[in-house]
């Protein structure tokens, strides 16, 4: 073989390998019918790359009489034993699927999953530490797993099903769900002995405290004590304000009391001198206020409220649906406060200058928040299937949104 021909063959091979690894966004996989191993080499059952569960997505690259050459979700390429491959998932699992790799919950009905065991874990756009970080996973975030690498520092894919928004994390950071008690014990074990480990442990304690309001004040108190003693300042954490929230969140209201208090606030909106009440806003009022009719709400969640038509201005969206009596009624779906928009709750008139601390002081017992994932965002329960969402930036109210969920 001439040198020129050899170089051309190598280039063609490189292109083939690159195409196999660089999975196309939106590409539809096939699904395994039983769990098994991914082998590094053809007909070599001793060199294992990883293990996959029933109905793992695989991308077929080649086949022999005994095996398929496939690419799995994290980009690994290898060989699996030949088996029926399906074009759709049925939510089934095959006998003997190893639970140490594919925990499906107490009912065996969930996707195989683990939980993130470190705080603020960087989620990457590609399976390497030099790729862009697209977000941070929170402690105890549940992660569905369709392939487990069996080599050191292997990556798992956790993004959307068809890789349009790819996300990867390393398998070594996943494990069993952590309890507050376990995280507290880890913190107390290093407290006063190793400052670096103590700071890391109390960070995890604060994070898990925000998922368990009854323990939140204790966790935040430990955090403040540790950081003060270490003379370390975290500019991202206003611990004194978080402690105020912890006091407000300690006692959960019974649902009947909660609903009664919310109703007594006479929650409504005012714009251009017109009072607009949730559930009673009319088509005539929208015409009076010169709102523009639009055909759909942008970025509407898949599993949410689906009204039949909408009105909007540059900073608000009002959504409508028709009830059984044929009367058209609506609600504010989204509102960005600038000039003239006012939200009224009880004696509080909230506009673009309304202070976050006043909001917490007046409505704290009705609020919930997740200060780790969405700081300065507060939720008020709207019946059994909805939320009112208030977001603050630099201490001022900037937006309101309502959401319905399944």
């Amino acid at each position: 073989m001439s040198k020129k021909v050899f170089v051309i063959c190598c280039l063609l091979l490189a292109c083939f390998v690159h195409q196999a690894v660089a999975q196309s966004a939106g590409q539809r996989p096939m699904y395994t019918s039983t769990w098994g191993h991914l082998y590094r080499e053809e007909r070599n059952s001793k060199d294992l790359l990883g293990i996959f569960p029933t109905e793992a997505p695989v991308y077929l690259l080649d086949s022999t009489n005994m095996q398929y050459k496939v690419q799995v979700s994290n980009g690994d390429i290898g060989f699996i034993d030949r088996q029926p491959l399906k074009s759709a998932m049925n939510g089934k699992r095959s006998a003997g699927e190893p639970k140490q790799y594919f925990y499906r919950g107490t009912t065996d009905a969930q996707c195989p999953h683990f939980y993130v065991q470190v705080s603020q874990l960087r989620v990457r756009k590609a399976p390497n530490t030099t790729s862009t970080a697209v977000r941070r996973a929170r402690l105890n975030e549940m992660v569905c797993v369709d392939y487990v690498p069996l080599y050191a520092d292997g990556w798992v894919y956790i993004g959307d099903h068809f890789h349009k928004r790819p996300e990867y994390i390393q398998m070594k950071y996943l494990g069993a769900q952590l309890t507050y008690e376990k995280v507290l014990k880890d913190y107390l074990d290093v407290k006063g002995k190793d400052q670096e480990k103590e700071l890391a442990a109390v960070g995890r304690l604060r994070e898990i405290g925000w998922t368990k309001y009854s323990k939140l004040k204790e966790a935040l108190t430990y955090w403040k004590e540790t950081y003060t003693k270490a003379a370390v300042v975290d500019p991202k954490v206003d611990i004194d304000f978080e402690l105020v929230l912890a006091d407000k969140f300690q006692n959960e209201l019974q649902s009947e009391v909660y609903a009664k208090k919310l109703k007594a606030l006479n929650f409504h909106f005012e714009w251009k001198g017109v009072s607009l009440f949730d559930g009673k806003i009319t088509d005539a009022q929208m015409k009076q206020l010169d709102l523009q009719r639009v055909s759909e709400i942008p970025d509407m969640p898949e599993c949410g409220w689906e009204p039949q038509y909408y009105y909007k201005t540059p900073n608000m969206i009002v959504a409508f649906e028709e009830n059984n009596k044929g009367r058209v009624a609506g609600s504010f779906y989204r509102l960005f406060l600038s000039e003239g928009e006012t939200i009224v709750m009880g004696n509080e008139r909230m506009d673009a200058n309304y202070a976050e601390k006043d909001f917490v002081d007046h409505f704290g017992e009705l609020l919930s928040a997740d200060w780790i994932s969405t700081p300065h965002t507060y939720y008020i329960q709207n019946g059994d299937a909805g939320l009112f969402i208030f977001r603050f930036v630099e201490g001022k109210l900037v937006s309101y949104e309502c959401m319905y969920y399944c």
Side-chain angles (χ1 to χ4, degrees), residues 191-209:
K191 185 180 180 184
K193 301 173 185 175
D194 185 315
Q195 188 177 89
E196 184 177 349
K197 289 183 179 180
E198 183 178 344
L199 287 167
V202 83
R204 296 171 82 224
L205 189 66
R206 168 180 169 263
E207 186 165 342
I208 201 167

Side-chain angles (χ1 to χ4, degrees), residues 311-327:
Y311 283 93
K312 67 177 289 189
T313 68
N315 61 325
M316 73 172 68
I317 297 173
V318 180
F320 285 79
E321 60 183 336
E322 201 167 344
N323 65 18
N324 293 331
K325 296 180 181 178
R327 185 173 68 87

Side-chain angles (χ1 to χ4, degrees), residues 109-178:
Q110 295 172 286
C111 66
H113 60 276
F114 293 103
Y115 298 87
V116 174
Q117 292 197 317
V118 296
S119 293
Q120 301 293 293
L121 176 64
R122 288 183 176 90
V123 178
R124 302 284 183 178
K125 192 174 183 178
N128 58 73
T129 55
T130 60
S131 66
T132 304
V134 295
R135 67 179 180 91
R136 289 182 182 269
R138 67 170 301 153
L139 189 69
N140 260 357
E141 179 177 322
M142 191 182 95
V143 172
C144 289
V145 174
D146 57 33
Y147 169 75
V148 174
L150 295 178
Y151 50 89
D153 297 330
W155 294 77
V156 294
Y157 179 76
I158 64 168
D160 68 293
H161 194 63
F162 296 119
H163 292 244
K164 293 181 179 179
R165 296 177 300 278
E167 293 185 347
Y168 299 85
I169 55 178
Q170 287 182 290
M171 184 68 200
K172 64 185 178 183
Y173 298 123
L174 300 178
Q177 187 172 21
L178 295 170

Side-chain angles (χ1 to χ4, degrees), residues 193-247:
K193 301 173 185 175
D194 185 315
Q195 188 177 89
E196 184 177 349
K197 289 183 179 180
E198 183 178 344
L199 287 167
V202 83
R204 296 171 82 224
L205 189 66
R206 168 180 169 263
E207 186 165 342
I208 201 167
W210 270 106
T211 67
K212 197 176 182 68
Y213 287 167
S214 62
K215 300 293 185 180
L216 179 57
K217 187 173 182 179
E218 177 183 80
L220 296 178
T221 301
Y222 279 129
W223 192 97
K224 183 175 182 178
E225 176 187 332
T226 295
Y227 270 74
T228 301
K229 184 178 179 181
V232 174
V233 175
D234 186 339
K236 297 179 181 179
V237 178
D238 183 347
I239 193 63
D240 291 325
F241 188 50
E242 289 190 32
L243 281 164
V244 170
L245 291 172
D247 278 330

